[in-house]
Amino acid sequence: MQDLLPELCDQFEDLVHVVEPMLMNFGAKERFSGEIVTLKCHEDNSKVRELAGQDGTGKVLVVDGGGSLRRALLGDLLAEKAASNGWEGMVIYGCIRDVNAIGGINLGVQALAAHPMKTEKRGLGDINQKVHFGGVTFTPGHFIYADNNGVLVAPHALVLKPNT
């Protein structure tokens, strides 16, 4: 199987924006893509839970956790919920926990790091607004692609041309 992101960068260099290398792959799906849904929250995963419970078919949840390394915004129960509701994956500018369990869940997960502490539940967070981290702006409705080479965004779905 070819590496997706290098191929997309080669064919769509002027269209894609590559996230600075900072995220690690944690989920069972090492390669995932979909329409961007955004969430901005800080050390409170209440809205992650809310969105994971919604239909996520063909979508990737991009969570701007402010880069906090003090609390985990995703654990195994929410990852299971997201996978069962069709989410392709989650890209988290923050931490996750339950790493071994998440590694067995059919969900793409990229995050900064792992941290064992859960978040407080205050019901705070802003859904579907532009968020910015890693040198890239994530716009709801645009598309995101992730694999072991990194993460990139594009204003629309990309289709690779066959190699000739």
Side-chain angles (χ1 to χ4, degrees), residues 110-134:
Q110 289 212 12
L112 290 177
H115 194 290
M117 185 67 72
K118 67 181 180 178
T119 68
E120 295 179 27
K121 310 290 189 276
R122 299 181 312 264
L124 302 176
D126 298 314
I127 298 171
N128 271 341
Q129 68 176 27
K130 287 183 181 181
V131 298
H132 185 88
F133 60 86

Side-chain angles (χ1 to χ4, degrees), residues 68-89:
S68 173
L69 300 176
R70 300 185 319 183
R71 302 275 177 159
L73 293 170
L74 179 70
D76 60 342
L77 298 178
L78 292 186
E80 281 282 2
K81 180 181 278 219
S84 69
N85 283 309
W87 288 89
E88 296 295 324

Side-chain angles (χ1 to χ4, degrees), residues 5 17-19 23 91 110 138 144-147 149-153:
L5 267 61
H17 300 279
V18 179
V19 177
L23 301 166
V91 173
Q110 289 212 12
F138 300 85
I144 189 166
Y145 299 84
D147 70 12
N149 294 287
V151 177
L152 63 81
V153 298

Side-chain angles (χ1 to χ4, degrees), residues 2 6 10 32-33 42 45 51 64 82 97 140 143 145-146 150 164:
Q2 70 184 5
D10 290 352
F32 60 97
S33 62
H42 184 73
N45 70 351
L51 290 168
D64 179 356
R97 68 188 210 160
F143 282 76
Y145 299 84
T164 54

